[in-house]
Structure formats: C-alpha cells, structure tokens
Amino acid sequence: MSGAGASAAPAGGPDPRVAVVVITHQRRDELLVALGRLVALPEQPHVVVVDNGSTDGTADAVRTRFPQVELVASPENLGAVGRNLGVARLDTPYVAFCDDDTWWEPGSLRAAADVLDAHPRLAVVTARILVEPGGTEDPIVAELRDSPVVGAGWLPGPALGSFLAGASVLRRDAFDEVGGFSERLWLGGEEELMAGDLAARGWELCYLEQLTLHHQASSARDPHKRRADGIRNTLWTTWLRRPLRPALRRTLHLLRTVPRDRVTALGLARAVRGLPWVLRERRVLPPHAEARFAALEEAQRNSTARRYVS
C-alpha cells in the first residue's frame, strides 16, 4: 500500500494510515505505561509490540492489560531486527517506531502522515524529543533542528543524514526497499546504515518540529553494552559505506575520542572481528548520499549529545 495519494483521515478521528511498532526487553512496567498512552491516542493506531525474549512477564502483562495490542513474543532478543518483525505484520503505508520508554504526542502521528502523503519521496520524518519528567528538549534536538545536511528544496523541514528510530515515522515502501534494519548490527546506531541506503536510492529524510515524542528514560539498561555495540556499529557502518579517506578520518577520530577502557576495547575487538564480512559486503555510497555524511562530520566532532560514554 503506497502512502502517495492516500486519503487523509478526518481530523480528530482514527487514522488508518499509520501504525506503531514498539520493541521491548525486560521493561514490563515502563512498557505498560507507554502502551497506556499509545492506545489513548486520538489516531487510534494499530500497535504491535515485539517482546525481545523478556523473562519478566512482559508478554503476559501485555496480553492481559492490552488485548487490543498485537503481541509478537520472540524467544530471543533480536534487537532492532524486532522492528522488522513488527513492520511485517502491518499493511499501513506509514510506521511509527517507539521504544518501551517513549510515547507520541496526540496528533503527531496524523501530522506525520499528512506530511508523508504530501511528499512521496520523503522516507523518514523525525520528531522533537521531550525528556520527561519535566518536558525539556533532549540535547539532540538542537542538532536536528540545525542540521547542516543539504536536501531537496521541497523538504518540509531540515534535511537529515540519519535519524533516531525510536522517534521517527517511516514510509513502509522505503523501509522495505532497503530491507529493514541489519541483522548484523543488532542494536545501537543501527539507523545510520539504513539512512545511507535510503539516500543512495533517492529517498529523503527530515526533521519536523511539529511532531513531538516524549522520552522518560528507563533505568533498566546496560550502558556498557550499549557503548560497546555503538562503537562497533559506527565502525562497521563507516567501513561498509564511506569512501576510503572519509572512513579513515572517522575511524581515527573515534579512536582519539572514545574512553580508553575495557568497554571500548570490547567494541573495537568486535568491530575488527567483523572485518571479513564487512569487506565482502562493502558498497560505497554514491556521491550524493556520501555528501550527507560528509556534511555531518564537523557536527559529530563537536556534538555534546553523541558521546561514547557509559
């Protein structure tokens, strides 16, 4: 089903154009709070929860408390690939992603669908993120708003080189065209590889100020694993898609700036172990897509929101 030319839903009523996919792991209580907010949205989206092998009773709690939510109970933790399973259950032209500690502002899903309807080559719209409690802007928002990436003149917001999956609405056709999220990367910066592949195929990504996502960060997380996986995935994406000189430049910058500890060593070792498949599957981005990553280099070097710390 294509989003281009889809009929806009009546204002204030259910909107069949967009569904929500949530991935979760061992965060039953946070997930139940987020689901309570999602099912109360005026758009009444179909919600798919992919439980990535939780052992804390998440699946049973979802079945009991939210029978209207579609549950996919994976026996193992699939990471971001769980989103692929969720998307495969849908026939809506647009899919909004959520993490288990985030939820969409009422009206944002309808606004995203309206914008995607109006711009058929727009693949991803990323929302403004408010940190709860308190409703303050996440530091990453300023970087999205002031993105140095140059996109098409028709874009309704600043062009982006990458996106934040848990705060974005994607066009289903574009998602399927690039094959969803990579099984190799699992979780942690997995969006960058997809963003490059979308750009290579002529799709656009942008930030939309009128969309809002709330994020109340869960304390149930492993920051060291997240950092190690993020380092590995940044290097893999760089080596898979960037030309030689930019790839070397970003690799050296990362090596100079990451903490010198066991967590970093683990991430680097995992990246190096993946070199054989990286070299087999390396496919350099065309110049128009590489230009997006090149435009982000200075912002990445100076970013206060994107740090490999834990």
Side-chain angles (χ1 to χ4, degrees), residues 138-140 142-143 299-309:
D138 188 291
I140 197 66
E143 297 186 20
Q300 289 168 339
R301 285 194 295 268
N302 298 323
S303 174
T304 58
R306 304 173 188 265
R307 298 291 186 191
Y308 293 102
V309 295

Side-chain angles (χ1 to χ4, degrees), residues 266-286:
L266 178 61
L268 295 175
R270 289 174 176 171
V272 171
R273 282 201 296 271
L275 269 175
W277 79 265
V278 167
L279 294 176
R280 285 197 309 271
E281 299 183 20
R282 177 172 162 81
R283 187 173 67 252
V284 175
L285 293 171

Side-chain angles (χ1 to χ4, degrees), residues 41-60:
L41 289 174
E43 294 94 334
Q44 298 180 32
H46 179 61
V47 178
V48 179
V49 170
V50 180
D51 178 26
N52 273 324
S54 298
T55 58
D56 62 353
T58 290
D60 288 340

Side-chain angles (χ1 to χ4, degrees), residues 223-237:
H224 294 324
K225 176 172 175 52
R226 180 182 294 256
R227 172 154 64 96
D229 289 347
I231 290 171
R232 178 201 64 191
N233 289 348
T234 293
L235 290 172
W236 277 354
T237 299

Side-chain angles (χ1 to χ4, degrees), residues 16 19 69 93 96 101 109 114 118 142 145 147 149 168 171 206 234 284 299 304:
V69 168
D101 55 0
L109 299 184
D114 288 344
R145 188 180 287 130
S147 171
V149 174
S168 296
R171 186 180 299 274
C206 81
T234 293
V284 175
T304 58

